[in-house]
Amino acid sequence: MRVETSDLTLSHASGPLSLDAVSFSLEEGSLCALQGMSGAGKSTLLGLIGGHIAPSSGRIFIDGLLLNPATLARVRPQIGQVYQDHRLVRQASVLANIAAGLAPTLPLWRALTHTFPAAVEARAAMLLDALGLETTLLR
C-alpha cells in the first residue's frame, strides 16, 4: 500500500497544533518507524492515517484514494497499527490479534471462532517475519 499525506494539520479548539503541515509519502513495501518525544504527534499522525481522527486541513491518500468518510470503510481493512501500549487482546492468540483488523471483511462465524482462511494466516506469518518476530508465535 502507498501512503501519502499533503499539508496534514491537526489543531485543537483550544488552539495548539498537534501536527503542522506534515507531507510525506511511503511506497508500497517500505517500512517506516516514527520516532520522537512524548507528545510530538506520532500517535496522532497514525490516528489520522487510520481514519480515527479527521485532520483540520490537508489530505491523506491510500493507494491514490483520498481518505474521507466515504472511502474509509473501503480502506480501513488494509490498515494495521501497533501502538506502543500494543492494544492487544490478552485472551486472544497472536493470529487473532493480527487478524482483528480484517474482522469486518470476514464472515461473522470466522471472526467469532478465530477460524481464519489460509491466506490470512499466511499474511500474518509474512507480517511477523517482516518485523523480525518468530512465525512460530502463530501456533
Side-chain angles (χ1 to χ4, degrees), residues 63-130:
D63 286 336
L65 185 67
L66 178 63
L67 186 64
N68 61 40
T71 61
L72 185 57
R74 206 171 0 164
V75 172
R76 188 169 273 157
Q78 299 176 53
I79 300 171
Q81 299 173 333
V82 179
Y83 293 89
Q84 61 194 22
D85 65 0
H86 307 298
R87 298 186 184 175
L88 298 175
V89 177
R90 291 181 192 263
Q91 298 82 1
S93 68
V94 171
L95 175 58
N97 273 287
I98 293 171
L102 295 173
T105 66
L106 298 172
L108 181 59
W109 71 270
R110 285 197 179 273
L112 293 176
T113 63
H114 297 173
T115 308
F116 302 106
V120 170
E121 291 190 32
R123 175 77 172 146
M126 188 275 311
L127 291 169
L128 286 175
D129 187 57

Side-chain angles (χ1 to χ4, degrees), residues 8-71:
L8 204 54
T9 299
L10 180 66
S11 57
H12 298 282
S14 59
L17 290 173
S18 291
L19 294 174
D20 187 13
V22 175
S23 297
F24 68 89
S25 64
L26 294 172
E27 296 298 323
E28 182 164 345
S30 64
L31 293 176
C32 175
L34 294 177
Q35 183 177 350
M37 296 174 50
S38 179
K42 303 176 300 291
S43 295
T44 299
L45 178 60
L46 291 174
L48 288 162
I49 294 169
H52 305 290
I53 305 169
S56 302
S57 64
R59 299 180 300 176
I60 303 166
F61 296 92
I62 307 290
D63 286 336
L65 185 67
L66 178 63
L67 186 64
N68 61 40
T71 61

